[in-house]
Amino acid sequence: MQLVIDTATAACSVALIKGDHIIACEKEIVGRGHAEKLLPMIAALPDQGRADKIIVDCGPGSFTGIRVGIAAALALGLGWDVPVSGYGALDVVAAAAFRRHFNASNLTVAFIGGHGEIFIQSFSCDRPSLHLTALTPIQSLRPEDAAPLVKDSLIAGSAAATLVKARGWGESEEAWPFADEARFLAKTATTLPATPIYGRLPDAKIPA
Amino acid sequence: MVAEKPPMALVLGLESSCDETAVALVDNDGNIIAHHLATQEILHRPYGGVVPEIAARAHVERLEPLIRKVLDESGKNLSDVDAIAATAGPGLIGGVMVGLVTGKALSLACNKPLIAINHLEGHALTPRLADQSLSFPYLLLLISGGHCQILLVKNVGEYRRLATTIDDAGGEAFDKTAKILGLGFPGGPAVEQEALKGDPTAVPLPRPLVRSKEPHFSFAGLKTAVLRAHQSGLYKREDIAASFQQAVIDCLVNRSEKALRKIESENTAINAFVIAGGMAANQAIRPALTALAEAHNLPFVTPAPWLCTDNGAMIAWAGIERFRLGMIDTLDSPARARWPLDPHAEKARGAGVKA
């Protein structure tokens, strides 16, 4: 049994999963309240979320949300003496979107980032295995700069509509990563180190 | 009648509200079983001050390994701990959230009570960790990089604020002075070292609000005067540092004396004059305030310098104090950027949100 924690975006969700099965799941769009909502949500799961393993969304996405999720995962791992690892926010949205769009073989995930930028990454999906491959690295760009680079018709994520509008064509699907969708990820995609993937460098500049 | 000794309690304290990640295990006799601190000084130094975003990034990487280190060193397990205390504010919210959420998760995982600590209460109660005979009420001068207040400490969770700063905190003035003089970051120790070589009477600097009717502090004008003195080219760097430090000391003494007089005029009996917070680690400040306490026939109490600057033991100790009184918190406790110890204090004239 795995406890999944996903606070990488405006969504806050937790799930207990076993293989492909969802044992329990709690989800809510909280905006900024992850630090207050997350632990009560875990406490509301069966056996207070107790699991043999914890996986956590490492981002990129909400700067604050990512760190809240990782801090909680690491401390639960310490308290229960179980291993903790991570997965990518864009991967889980891509994996879930390919399951909703049976004909899509490629798509781009676009998330709201910081300072008016969006995070983008393109994925392909092999069928029927549903094996996910990232075709590009994660980039943080202004929507107008991202638009000419994105060739996939289907865009999923919190900034999907923004990107489709900036580009002038394609299909957008608003989507957030949710903890129960981590069951769609290959095992190798859930064994990242549990450290934040910020997707951009700190804003602070060293004074001249 | 023999007072019953309270049952043994062991509290884990987590601190992450500014630029130190710190963890400690403390028991109710005030024994610091183990403590560790990961300072971020080296990360912030190139910027000349604490950068909130960089602090937030660092806390999440450092806190959990630090907890493991403290537990390993103490030979204790989380099951031996009676409660988890974590700073819930005030401070840089990105760091506060990391510590508080870590505390909540440990509390849930180990089925131990969570105690959400006001960082300022950590400073305010640490003198009782250092001196177990110190009893309430006492007058506290709380001086740090973010705060400059005089508080009547009546009990755990009961404070009356007598004075605050209407602009910069004292430690902030040290940091800014260090920057002006090119002494680097953090400014407190740098200015203190430089001041050792200088003449505290060499540079005429103002003592803002000294002898004014209102009880508060102000340091912004002093900082500007330091800048002018530096730009004039008339003074040596060490003399500016020494004269600046002396001006701050004069302000602290004058404002503390005013607060002591007010308390005396109200016939409130207090047990000590206490200083705490990062600036209380300054060795030049201590003698002047010791003399003030003596003049008012009060014991002078201040924790060891390492317990004045941010640390995990102060949070664990505040946790012990609250745990003994059954004051525990829930998993939805908020992280707070602002959290005054005395929410009923009158707003100081001209003071911004930090007061």
Side-chain angles (χ1 to χ4, degrees), chain B residues 35-349:
Chain B
H35 72 92
H36 274 286
L37 183 144
T39 181
Q40 302 172 8
E41 253 171 53
I42 199 161
L43 299 179
H44 299 287
R45 188 172 293 135
Y47 302 93
V50 176
V51 183
E53 185 194 6
I54 289 173
R57 288 178 178 226
H59 286 301
V60 73
E61 290 161 21
R62 291 164 184 223
L63 185 54
E64 186 255 6
L66 216 55
I67 298 169
R68 286 184 190 273
K69 202 165 160 184
V70 163
L71 290 170
D72 286 350
E73 196 168 284
S74 66
K76 303 279 184 190
N77 294 315
L78 283 165
S79 56
D80 301 321
V81 171
D82 294 290
I84 314 287
T87 300
L92 301 175
I93 196 70
V96 169
M97 276 196 275
V98 167
L100 180 61
V101 166
T102 299
K104 287 176 178 181
L106 287 176
S107 159
L108 176 70
C110 306
N111 198 22
K112 305 287 182 185
L114 169 76
I115 308 172
I117 301 293
N118 182 317
H119 177 86
L120 299 176
E121 180 160 65
H123 282 305
L125 297 179
T126 298
R128 283 164 51 83
L129 163 66
D131 179 351
Q132 297 276 309
S133 68
L134 176 63
S135 55
F136 301 116
Y138 51 85
L139 193 73
L140 169 72
L141 172 63
L142 174 51
I143 39 178
S144 70
H147 299 273
C148 189
Q149 303 188 353
I150 302 176
L151 296 150
L152 179 64
V153 183
K154 294 190 274 191
N155 208 333
V156 177
E158 283 181 48
Y159 301 88
R160 177 177 155 208
R161 195 197 74 194
L162 295 158
T164 187
T165 177
I166 62 168
D167 41 57
D168 292 351
E172 209 172 344
F174 270 84
D175 281 339
K176 288 175 177 172
T177 293
K179 213 168 185 175
I180 292 166
L181 299 181
L183 293 170
F185 172 85
V191 172
E192 185 181 352
Q193 280 305 308
E194 189 70 12
L196 286 175
K197 298 180 273 175
D199 174 1
T201 63
V203 186
L205 291 172
R207 271 72 175 151
L209 292 186
V210 161
R211 283 185 290 280
S212 83
K213 267 193 195 162
E214 54 187 309
H216 301 298
F217 297 93
S218 166
F219 294 108
L222 177 57
K223 171 203 66 190
T224 309
V226 165
L227 180 63
R228 294 227 176 89
H230 176 65
Q231 287 171 338
S232 75
L234 297 173
Y235 305 105
K236 287 190 282 189
R237 184 162 86 167
E238 59 267 32
D239 289 342
I240 300 176
S243 301
F244 160 78
Q245 184 170 269
Q246 189 56 49
V248 172
I249 292 169
D250 291 348
C251 292
L252 295 177
V253 170
N254 179 268
R255 304 285 83 187
S256 300
E257 177 151 43
K258 190 172 178 68
L260 282 165
R261 287 220 179 109
K262 182 168 175 64
I263 291 294
E264 284 160 3
S265 74
E266 293 172 358
N267 293 318
T268 306
I270 53 171
N271 294 316
F273 177 58
V274 175
I275 66 167
M279 244 174 90
N282 181 304
Q283 294 301 312
I285 285 174
R286 293 182 175 218
L289 294 166
T290 309
L292 177 67
E294 274 168 13
H296 288 260
N297 293 315
L298 288 169
F300 177 74
V301 178
T302 186
W306 82 267
L307 286 168
C308 286
T309 48
D310 292 350
N311 65 84
M314 65 187 247
I315 302 305
W317 177 254
I320 292 271
E321 295 257 30
R322 294 184 85 83
F323 182 67
R324 291 197 289 221
L325 298 170
M327 301 162 99
I328 60 171
D329 296 282
T330 52
L331 293 180
D332 61 353
S333 299
R336 308 185 200 190
R338 288 196 61 234
W339 188 1
L341 279 179
D342 177 3
H344 307 296
E346 259 179 65
K347 196 175 179 297
R349 181 187 63 84

